[in-house]
Amino acid sequence: MARDPYQVLGVPRGAGADDIRKAFRKLAKKHHPDANPGDKAAEERFKEVSAAFDILGDVEKRPKFDAGEIDADGRETFRGFGGGPGQGGPFGGGAGGFEGADFSDILGEMFGRRAGRAGPRGGAGPGPGGGFAPKGSDVRARLEIDLEEAILGGKKRISFQDGRTLDVTIPAGAADGQTLRLRGHGEPGRGGKGDALIELAIRPHPVFRREGDQLIMDLPVSVPDAVLGGRVQAPTPDGPVTLTVPKGANSGQSLRLKGKGLADARGVRGDLIARIQVMLPEGPDPKLEAFAARWREERPYVPRRR
C-alpha cells in the first residue's frame, strides 16, 4: 500500500492548494528522471511523489481520501454502515480547491512538455499503480564550426558513436559554447526518445578574431599605398571587398566595414574593423634602402604613439 500522500509531499493535512502545488513542484523537479538519468531510486521516488499529488491535487479524490473513502492508492475502502462522506478531514464535503491544478500542466511548466496522466490502474503516466514512463536519455555531442558558419548560419552533418548521422542547422549568429537541442534524437525510452544536445565550438580563424562584440582583422598595406593612398582588396566573411586606404595611413589606423561583422541572436550583423598594418617588401630592396637613408638624413622625425 502506498504511503500517506501528506507525508510523501511533506505537507500538513490542512495545507492549502498552493502549498501542495509548491511541494509537488519542488519534489518533482528534484527527482524527475530527466534530472537523474539512470537513477532508479530517483525514478521510484518520482513515482511516489506523482501518486501522492494525484490524490491531493484532485478536486474529487482529496476529499474522499480525507473522509476515508479511498486509500493512498486511490482504491475505495470498506466503511461498513457508520459515518459518511464529508467526515474525517478539513476538506470534507467536496471543498477541494484544486480546479485546474493538473499534474501535466505543472510538469509542462517545469520541463517544457506535456506529461501523460494515467488512470487509477496504470498506463504510461504517473498515476497511482501505474509506472512512470520516462523518455530516453539525452545524447551529447560537440560540433566544431567555422567563424563564417557561426555568422551566416548553415548546415553541418554530425556523427554519433552509435554510427548515426544527423544534419544540424546552425542558426545565424551562433555563439561559441551555445547548445542546440534537437528533440527526439536521443536514446529511446518507454516515454519516447530523448533529445540530442549539440554544443557548438567555433574554430580559431586565421584572419578574423573576436574582441568582445566586434570582429577584427589586420589589413596589410604597402608603403606606397600608405603614403599615397590607394585601393586594396580585403577579405570578409562574405567574400573579398575593395577598400580605399587614405593618403598618409599609419599602422593601427582602423577602417570600418559596415554590416560585415558578427551577427547577434536575431541575425543582425555588426561591423568588421580592419586595422591597417603598413608592411615593408619581403627581402631587402637597395633602392628603398637608399631612399630611406636620404630621408633619415634630410627629414628626420620621431614617431609618436597614437
Side-chain angles (χ1 to χ4, degrees):
M1 180 175 176
R3 291 172 55 198
D4 186 303
Y6 289 102
Q7 295 180 0
V8 173
L9 295 183
V11 295
R13 283 188 169 269
D18 288 341
D19 291 335
I20 291 177
R21 177 191 284 265
K22 289 177 183 177
F24 169 70
R25 181 189 294 270
K26 180 179 179 181
L27 292 172
K29 187 173 183 179
K30 178 180 179 181
H31 298 292
H32 196 282
D34 285 358
N36 303 275
D39 188 337
K40 295 298 183 183
E43 183 176 332
E44 291 301 319
R45 178 63 172 151
F46 180 79
K47 292 179 186 177
E48 189 177 42
V49 169
S50 302
F53 185 72
D54 190 80
I55 296 290
L56 300 187
D58 190 285
V59 68
E60 295 180 356
K61 292 180 182 179
R62 184 181 181 186
K64 290 183 178 181
F65 176 78
D66 291 338
E69 296 177 30
I70 61 173
D71 62 16
D73 287 315
R75 295 178 296 215
E76 292 186 3
T77 58
F78 179 74
R79 294 179 49 82
F81 297 100
Q87 300 177 1
F91 288 83
F98 268 98
E99 294 290 348
D102 187 70
F103 176 91
S104 59
D105 288 339
I106 295 179
L107 286 188
E109 292 172 9
M110 292 191 296
F111 298 96
R113 57 186 173 84
R114 298 285 295 181
R117 189 177 187 183
R121 289 317 249 164
F132 174 76
K135 69 176 186 179
S137 300
D138 294 337
V139 295
R140 296 179 179 272
R142 187 171 182 269
L143 178 61
E144 290 191 348
I145 60 175
D146 294 327
L147 182 64
E148 291 88 346
E149 292 171 322
I151 294 173
L152 304 175
K155 285 189 176 291
K156 295 280 286 187
R157 177 162 294 183
I158 187 171
S159 299
F160 293 94
Q161 293 182 347
D162 59 5
R164 291 185 301 128
T165 60
L166 187 63
D167 289 329
V168 180
T169 299
I170 310 299
D176 189 57
Q178 178 178 347
T179 298
L180 306 179
R181 179 181 291 272
L182 306 180
R183 298 194 180 277
H185 290 281
E187 297 292 341
R190 287 184 295 149
K193 289 187 176 181
D195 302 333
L197 305 178
I198 312 299
E199 181 183 357
L200 301 179
I202 302 176
R203 298 187 187 97
H205 198 280
V207 175
F208 310 112
R209 62 185 181 276
R210 304 179 66 155
E211 292 185 6
D213 294 333
Q214 288 189 321
L215 188 63
I216 309 293
M217 74 173 182
D218 293 330
L219 180 65
V221 174
S222 69
V223 173
D225 285 336
V227 174
L228 304 174
R231 293 174 65 80
V232 300
Q233 193 174 75
T236 76
D238 307 272
V241 299
T242 300
L243 291 179
T244 299
V245 178
K247 182 183 293 187
N250 259 317
S251 291
Q253 187 173 339
S254 295
L255 303 178
R256 185 179 298 272
L257 289 78
K258 291 188 176 297
K260 297 295 184 181
L262 300 172
D264 61 19
R266 298 172 298 169
V268 178
R269 298 284 295 276
D271 300 335
L272 170 62
I273 306 300
R275 291 179 178 166
I276 293 175
Q277 300 292 329
V278 179
M279 306 292 292
L280 292 172
E282 295 183 5
D285 185 325
K287 290 186 177 181
L288 181 59
E289 291 173 359
F291 170 78
R294 291 195 305 271
W295 183 276
R296 182 167 58 184
E297 182 178 348
E298 298 172 3
R299 304 179 64 85
Y301 73 99
V302 177
R304 293 183 179 180
R305 182 182 299 274
R306 296 191 177 184

